[in-house]
Amino acid sequence: MFQIAEADGMHIQLIEVPYDSGWRGIRMGAGPGYFVEHGVVEKLRAAGHVVELECIEAQRLFLAENYTAFELNRQLATHVRAARERGAMPLVLAGNCNSALGILGGCEAAQAGVIWFDAHGDFNTPETTTGGFLDGMGLAIATGRCWSPLARSISGFTPVPDERVLLVGVRQLDDGEQELLVRSRITLLKGERIRALGISGSLEPALDGLRAHVQHVYLHIDLDVLDTSIGRANSYAEPGGLLIEEMKQAITLIARRFDIAAVAFTSYDPSGDPAGHIFRAGIQIMEHVLTAVS
Ligand SMILES: [Mn+2]
């Protein structure tokens, strides 16, 4: 039966990517399923939105961090594009931040800007990383610094120019990563600057600067951008992050200036959040994004 949205509701395509480093349903790969099992679809429907749910699955039996990550992204790009073509807002729940690559592919990266909330830079490359974690390289790949042949295998993906990227809430950078970021033209708004100037004082000038380059953005929310006083989104969580009200304020300021082409919530490991504080914060922020967009 076809559902009619209420006047202020939106058509949402909720897309799960339940993988972390090629592994399904483990660690941050358990986050998307947790959201679904704990009623994210019902909650968004209760808020007046029409919600359809789908889940991206690896097709090859042998899972390997890098191969599987790009394979998932190739599929994700197709699903994001299909959602946008039928007028639905893609809302992605992903284990890893590198899902940004598939989402950008589906949003025609050549036109899009990126607003990336994260406690980390995700800006390592194979030449700076000491952990070898592909997901520590997500933004470096998105801006064309590494893994280029595989990134090009994602349909619609082209590297996003630095000046179209705003990285918000960062508290922890590795040395080589920090050096690369400082040399880049990405606008970096660290957690400490937000703490010093407040959301409006720190974010508005940066958003106005970004608006000179792009009209629509992909909104990336690694839940570890939230302050650890709320809870620990994952084992990499750091203090000095954003509070729920600050996230909402930031989203309102973003939605006032940009068309939000797609949004993702990533990197939630429910095993570190037994009382569900980050889960509930995530739901509140999702509802706020959808209200701000509509
Ligand atoms: Mn991240």
Side-chain angles (χ1 to χ4, degrees):
M1 182 72 98
F2 189 76
Q3 266 183 291
I4 306 293
E6 286 174 20
D8 58 346
M10 294 185 69
H11 200 135
I12 310 297
Q13 184 66 50
L14 198 61
I15 308 175
E16 282 180 83
V17 191
Y19 289 80
D20 179 355
S21 307
W23 295 81
R24 192 191 195 285
I26 293 174
R27 210 174 67 140
M28 299 184 288
Y34 187 96
F35 271 101
V36 170
E37 284 151 26
H38 290 76
V40 63
V41 174
E42 293 75 10
K43 287 178 204 296
L44 297 181
R45 283 181 182 153
H49 305 294
V50 173
V51 183
E52 288 176 72
L53 175 68
E54 62 189 339
C55 186
I56 307 288
E57 298 289 358
Q59 301 297 309
R60 207 166 75 165
L61 206 56
F62 179 70
L63 302 177
E65 176 173 10
N66 304 326
Y67 178 85
T68 303
F70 285 96
E71 190 212 326
L72 293 167
N73 275 312
R74 285 191 288 269
Q75 294 185 64
L76 182 55
T78 305
H79 286 259
V80 167
R81 185 174 310 113
R84 284 171 47 75
E85 282 170 2
R86 60 178 182 272
M89 163 81 144
L91 196 170
V92 177
L93 302 176
N96 284 152
C97 282
N98 70 62
S99 296
L101 304 170
I103 299 167
L104 283 165
C107 294
E108 302 306 329
Q111 311 296 324
V114 179
I115 302 178
W116 187 298
F117 287 86
D118 208 310
H120 311 92
D122 294 1
F123 209 63
N124 273 298
T125 72
E127 299 306 317
T128 66
T129 182
T130 53
F133 183 36
L134 184 72
D135 216 38
M137 308 182 204
L139 187 56
I141 306 170
T143 53
R145 284 176 167 77
C146 51
W147 294 97
S148 301
L150 277 164
R152 277 197 300 274
S153 76
I154 301 165
S155 73
F157 178 82
T158 52
V160 180
D162 285 358
E163 53 272 21
R164 294 192 193 159
V165 180
L166 178 55
L167 177 55
V168 187
V170 172
R171 284 95 78 191
Q172 197 278 324
L173 291 168
D174 298 334
D175 291 344
E177 183 181 35
Q178 158 117 352
E179 210 173 290
L180 276 181
L181 258 176
V182 167
R183 287 208 313 262
S184 80
R185 287 158 70 196
I186 288 173
T187 303
L188 171 63
L189 209 53
K190 286 190 176 177
E192 61 202 49
R193 188 165 170 82
I194 299 170
R195 295 270 63 80
L197 300 178
I199 287 289
S200 171
S202 60
L203 190 61
E204 291 206 69
L207 293 175
D208 291 338
L210 183 64
R211 188 65 183 80
H213 297 283
V214 286
Q215 183 184 345
H216 72 262
V217 293
Y218 156 55
L219 179 59
H220 180 94
I221 301 174
D222 181 326
L223 283 166
D224 71 21
V225 78
L226 294 173
D227 191 64
T228 45
S229 66
I230 302 164
R232 295 187 64 84
N234 56 51
S235 59
Y236 306 101
E238 296 270 346
L242 274 67
L243 303 174
I244 297 170
E245 286 311 313
E246 292 176 320
M247 268 312 294
K248 289 184 180 175
Q249 195 190 344
I251 288 160
T252 300
L253 296 175
I254 292 165
R256 225 175 254 164
R257 289 169 174 79
F258 299 95
D259 295 328
I260 298 175
V263 58
F265 289 80
T266 72
S267 309
Y268 176 52
D269 176 356
S271 71
D273 184 39
H277 295 300
I278 295 287
F279 163 75
R280 283 191 296 280
I283 295 282
Q284 280 190 53
I285 295 164
M286 268 175 226
E287 287 176 338
H288 189 80
V289 170
L290 301 179
T291 303
V293 170
S294 58

